[in-house]
Amino acid sequence: MGALGTLIIELFALCFKKLNKEQTKKRIIILGVIGIIALFISIIFFAVSETKTDREAAWMFLWFYLLFFGWRLVTDIVLYLRGKLKDNNETDDKTDTTEKHSEKKPIWK
């Protein structure tokens, strides 16, 4: 149970990071693979279950995954396809201004 809890916390941390284009592609792959694993776990639980309520509950693992992390997967796919993500070599304007300010000499020297 500790490993599952750690996985969920790490996935939440991964979902809220601001990433560039290449890192977003990796996040799409990670969330997609874990989604496929959740589908296989649901199928296994469904096959093993004996009662009707157990069969209905078997799909809850997949639905919870999609509820918690599916929004990020859909958002990343849309942003990636529309080209709204920055490449690795692009720099922010904020970093350029901070470098210029750090190069200035202090007034009191």
Side-chain angles (χ1 to χ4, degrees):
M1 291 305 291
L4 185 61
T6 305
L7 176 69
I8 290 171
I9 290 171
E10 181 61 32
L11 284 175
F12 271 116
L14 181 67
C15 285
F16 290 111
K17 278 185 180 177
K18 185 175 181 180
L19 304 174
N20 59 19
K21 191 173 186 178
E22 190 65 32
Q23 293 169 338
T24 303
K25 187 176 179 181
K26 290 178 185 177
R27 180 167 55 192
I28 291 170
I29 293 170
I30 289 169
L31 291 174
V33 166
I34 294 175
I36 292 170
I37 291 170
L39 176 67
F40 284 137
I41 289 172
S42 296
I43 290 171
I44 291 169
F45 285 163
F46 182 80
V48 173
S49 62
E50 297 175 357
T51 63
K52 182 182 176 186
T53 55
D54 288 344
R55 289 186 182 126
E56 292 172 355
W59 298 108
M60 292 310 292
F61 187 75
L62 179 66
W63 292 119
F64 279 130
Y65 175 78
L66 292 176
L67 176 70
F68 292 139
F69 305 111
W71 61 273
R72 185 77 243 188
L73 183 62
V74 171
T75 304
D76 283 343
I77 290 171
V78 168
L79 289 175
Y80 190 80
L81 292 177
R82 293 187 74 195
K84 299 281 183 173
L85 300 169
K86 294 183 179 183
D87 290 330
N88 289 341
N89 54 4
E90 290 183 18
T91 58
D92 292 336
D93 293 334
K94 294 178 184 178
T95 57
D96 293 340
T97 58
T98 56
E99 289 174 2
K100 289 178 185 175
H101 289 297
S102 64
E103 292 174 1
K104 292 182 180 179
K105 293 182 180 179
I107 297 172
W108 58 87
K109 282 192 176 181

